[in-house]
Amino acid sequence: MKRLFGGMGQASTPVETPEARADAVQIRIQDLHKSYGTHEVLKGLSFDIRRGKVNHIIGPSGSGKTVLMRQLVRLESPDSGQILVDGVDWATLHGLTLDRMRIKFGMVFQMSALFDSMTVFENVAFPLVEHTSMSKQEIRERVMDRLGILGVAAAANKSPAELSGGMQKRVAVARALVRESEVLIYDEPTTGLDPLTTQTVDELILETGERFGVTSIVISHDMASVFRIADRITFLNFGRVEATGTPAELLETLEPATLAFIKASGVSQDILDERSRNG
Amino acid sequence: MTSESKAAPRDADANQAPGESPAPSVVDRLADGLFQLVLSPFVEIGALFTVLWQTLVQAVRPPYRVRLLLASAEFIGVGSIFLVSLTAFFIGAVLSLQLVDGFRDFGAQSQTGAVVGLGMARELAPVFTALMVSSRAGSAITTELGSMRVSSQIDALVTMAVNPIQYLVVPRVLAGLVTVPILTLVFDVVGMFGAYLVGVHLMGLDPGVFMERMRWLVDWDDVRQGLIKAAIFGFTIALVACRQGFHASGGAAGVGQATNRSVVQNAIAILALDYVVTAVVIGQGL
Ligand SMILES: Nc1ncnc2c1ncn2[C@@H]1O[C@H](COP(=O)(O)OP(=O)(O)OP(=O)(O)O)[C@@H](O)[C@H]1O
Ligand SMILES: [Mg+2]
């Protein structure tokens, strides 16, 4: 941390109010816009992310899910609108102030994005080595603890390329969680995985959410997974929020065409029925 | 494009008649292509200077990543010694062979060592070293950074609050700046060894004359001119290679294209810079 503060006369970190931290809504996205040249991708999105819940963002290809994710974790800057995270507007943060706040989000990329020049252990230790003054021993304990919880401790000295897709995802989750992030974002965590691995990744998302009490944001194509594990669903279409709510609410409010899209994606009627009963 | 001209191609598309594609679209596309052709070098140079500026800013900002710098220096420098030496040996040998043969016609073969030494120190060593480093290390850097880009590893660095320019680009550019001059010295020495071997042992030149003439013509200024070029080339190679990798897109194919561009741009950059630096150093020709 010291090195981030070092010598830069920047504005101090924006403060999160206790009220904001007690709010069931952790992230409030308001009227978010993003264009590339003349191509408007996000056309004024507004919706909430609930604290400690599994929040899915779904929608057809090209609807802007990935672009939304990139604004949310500030890989890019939105053109206008607000991203209130515990009361702090992330849309306007920049430079070292933004870097200092980044600990809030842990990101699990679609291809896991583990550094292939490092071992699994070094990958998970990386955020600690970069940003904390923890001793080697403390780092070792923390990393092995995370790897153990996620069931990949045995792979600590392997290189990421030696692991299966599902195991890579577990390591990526361990890395995202190692600095006590509060929000975990999964970008298409099950795309390209076989049905069995898909199920273990679904379980991983649920388990991780409960075990670490984090807020999960899952960008997904996989409608079956969505209706199995989501607490909240936001449905994007052409850069707009088409519907947002619990799975049961969603099934009630959706237009027939959207329902057809969901059914076409392989969600069995059973799951839909069950979710509308339980919702 | 006006709304009328938009409507016209749609009709033509519907008919799918070959050879009947409406004139505006062809002209438009031609103009577009021409525009891109004229514009793209400027876009490239703009992108390169952006990365250059960020690299300079990040290079002076702590933390200083000495370990990464050493690793890069090992990869670019130590890893290229064999290739550079091999190139140097054969360049020196063949030059010696040609010059003894050519100079013999007017009895000047005793100047072989001097001419090889001068050409090597000023031009051949830095240029060939740079071209070799570019094709070996430069292409590898672009491929590595490109793969990191398309597999989101660079995005991952950003979300973990680690500046990717500082973490990836600065060590490589500094390593290029430092190691290419050293490799150029290696080239000088090995190249002269090759020239000596051929000139003296195969072509029967007098060893004393060979060395004495070389010492008489080649002095420190010539070597220094070569080293200045080498430093500039080394910096440029790594910068261009990093910039191409950093901005790669489009999966494995995109990384391949970026690597291709990296090697081509570096070859052009080395040869063009060579002329400019030479002109500046000797104070004429610009
Ligand atoms: N950097 C960019 N420059 C220009 N256009 C972009 C850029 N990134 C995304 N787009 C455009 O934004 C639109 C939405 O893309 P996005 O990747 O967010 O879709 P998505 O919902 O994630 O789709 P998928 O489910 O296929 O991943 C697409 O039309 C895409 O072409
Ligand atoms: Mg996407």
Side-chain angles (χ1 to χ4, degrees):
Chain A
M1 265 310 188
K2 219 185 299 156
R3 69 168 61 120
L4 285 180
F5 288 98
M8 301 303 295
Q10 287 245 341
S12 59
T13 310
V15 272
E16 298 167 349
T17 56
E19 300 89 74
R21 295 203 56 96
D23 195 342
V25 174
Q26 184 164 26
I27 304 174
R28 245 180 248 282
I29 293 168
Q30 284 171 357
D31 200 25
L32 200 67
H33 287 265
K34 179 72 184 179
S35 306
Y36 297 101
T38 55
H39 179 25
E40 191 177 23
V41 180
L42 304 183
K43 303 166 186 166
L45 298 184
S46 303
F47 66 98
D48 298 338
I49 301 288
R50 299 296 166 104
R51 194 181 300 277
K53 302 279 193 226
V54 178
N55 301 266
H56 272 70
I57 296 170
I58 61 176
S61 220
S63 56
K65 303 183 294 295
T66 301
V67 172
L68 170 64
M69 178 273 288
R70 294 180 69 82
Q71 317 305 311
L72 198 56
V73 296
R74 285 301 308 277
L75 281 165
E76 293 171 15
S77 303
D79 298 336
S80 66
Q82 287 185 314
I83 305 171
L84 294 167
V85 183
D86 289 324
V88 172
D89 186 4
W90 269 59
T92 56
L93 295 178
H94 59 90
L96 297 182
T97 319
L98 172 60
D99 272 350
R100 237 173 283 154
M101 305 279 287
R102 283 189 187 278
I103 185 177
K104 175 88 75 182
F105 288 102
M107 184 75 215
V108 180
F109 287 91
Q110 180 170 358
M111 311 299 295
S112 294
L114 299 172
F115 303 122
D116 33 34
S117 58
M118 300 179 189
T119 65
V120 165
F121 179 88
E122 287 165 343
N123 262 287
V124 180
F126 184 81
L128 300 176
V129 173
E130 281 294 319
H131 294 301
T132 68
S133 50
M134 290 167 76
S135 72
K136 274 210 164 117
Q137 184 57 33
E138 287 169 318
I139 289 179
R140 166 139 231 113
E141 278 166 16
R142 170 82 69 86
V143 172
M144 292 316 291
D145 172 67
R146 293 294 191 274
L147 289 176
I149 292 171
L150 292 160
V152 280
N157 293 317
K158 290 191 176 165
S159 98
E162 295 173 64
L163 306 183
S164 70
M167 282 171 88
Q168 287 183 5
K169 202 121 280 170
R170 284 172 181 273
V171 176
V173 172
R175 183 176 68 179
L177 279 169
V178 76
R179 270 184 82 208
E180 275 139 19
S181 300
E182 295 170 35
V183 183
L184 266 197
I185 304 181
Y186 302 83
D187 187 17
E188 312 216 0
T190 55
T191 303
L193 298 181
D194 63 79
L196 210 61
T197 317
T198 298
Q199 207 165 342
T200 55
V201 171
D202 283 348
E203 280 156 18
L204 174 68
I205 294 170
L206 285 178
E207 275 170 31
T208 308
E210 282 162 20
R211 176 73 175 70
F212 294 93
V214 293
T215 304
S216 310
I217 301 176
V218 187
I219 292 166
S220 186
H221 255 143
D222 183 355
M223 295 302 163
S225 289
V226 172
F227 280 90
R228 214 160 37 225
I229 67 172
D231 295 316
R232 315 256 327 160
I233 300 175
T234 299
F235 190 97
L236 293 193
N237 208 1
F238 297 113
R240 291 203 167 82
V241 174
E242 189 120 326
T244 182
T246 64
E249 286 167 358
L250 209 71
L251 288 176
E252 274 170 28
T253 54
L254 283 181
E255 294 169 24
T258 322
L259 260 181
F261 168 77
I262 292 173
K263 282 186 188 146
S265 326
V267 188
S268 73
Q269 193 60 46
D270 297 351
I271 294 180
L272 294 183
D273 288 346
E274 192 197 325
R275 288 312 302 244
S276 28
R277 275 198 306 277
N278 297 349
Chain B
M1 230 188 213
T2 62
S3 55
E4 292 99 318
S5 64
K6 244 184 201 161
R10 201 175 296 148
D11 287 346
D13 281 353
N15 296 330
Q16 283 294 324
E20 270 190 20
S21 57
S25 117
V26 173
V27 172
D28 266 10
R29 244 183 302 159
L30 211 71
D32 244 30
L34 219 70
F35 193 62
Q36 297 245 315
L37 203 70
V38 174
L39 214 66
S40 65
F42 295 99
V43 174
E44 280 297 308
I45 289 170
L48 190 66
F49 272 83
T50 309
V51 174
L52 172 66
W53 170 244
Q54 290 171 337
T55 305
L56 295 178
V57 169
Q58 292 299 328
V60 295
R61 184 175 283 181
Y64 304 112
R65 301 174 183 278
V66 179
R67 195 111 65 83
L68 291 178
L69 174 60
L70 291 179
S72 293
E74 185 185 356
F75 176 72
I76 299 174
V78 180
S80 301
I81 287 180
F82 178 74
L83 182 64
V84 165
S85 302
L86 200 73
T87 313
F89 181 84
F90 283 112
I91 297 275
V94 80
L95 220 66
S96 189
L97 192 61
Q98 289 281 15
L99 287 180
V100 173
D101 183 54
F103 279 170
R104 201 181 269 140
D105 293 345
F106 44 96
Q109 67 268 43
S110 63
Q111 304 294 340
T112 298
V115 174
V116 174
L118 192 72
M120 195 93 82
R122 285 186 176 191
E123 284 296 334
L124 296 175
V127 169
F128 271 96
T129 302
L131 289 173
M132 289 298 141
V133 169
S134 156
S135 57
R136 189 197 143 270
S139 61
I141 288 171
T142 306
T143 308
E144 185 184 3
L145 264 57
S147 317
M148 290 186 74
R149 165 62 73 194
V150 301
S151 63
S152 308
Q153 290 176 51
I154 294 182
D155 287 339
L157 278 175
V158 175
T159 60
M160 289 187 269
V162 173
N163 186 299
I165 295 278
Q166 186 187 63
Y167 191 82
L168 298 170
V169 179
V170 169
R172 286 169 172 82
V173 169
L174 292 183
L177 179 73
V178 173
T179 56
V180 174
I182 297 174
L183 288 169
T184 299
L185 276 180
V186 172
F187 193 110
D188 284 334
V189 172
V190 178
M192 283 320 293
F193 173 73
Y196 182 90
L197 217 63
V198 169
V200 171
H201 290 277
L202 293 181
M203 304 301 282
L205 295 182
D206 181 74
V209 172
F210 184 96
M211 293 306 288
E212 190 271 327
R213 291 275 85 194
M214 189 187 88
R215 270 194 225 108
W216 170 76
L217 191 65
V218 184
D219 55 24
W220 169 239
D221 277 352
D222 301 313
V223 177
R224 196 186 55 190
Q225 187 190 130
L227 295 185
I228 291 172
K229 287 176 181 172
I232 293 171
F233 295 162
F235 186 90
T236 308
I237 291 167
L239 188 72
V240 169
C242 285
R243 123 97 182 117
Q244 286 297 346
F246 209 75
H247 294 144
S249 65
V255 176
Q257 285 162 5
T259 305
N260 191 21
R261 277 197 301 275
S262 157
V263 173
V264 170
Q265 285 186 1
N266 263 328
I268 295 170
I270 290 164
L271 297 172
L273 280 174
D274 184 43
Y275 184 86
V276 174
V277 178
T278 305
V280 169
V281 169
I282 67 178
Q284 47 194 328
L286 265 187

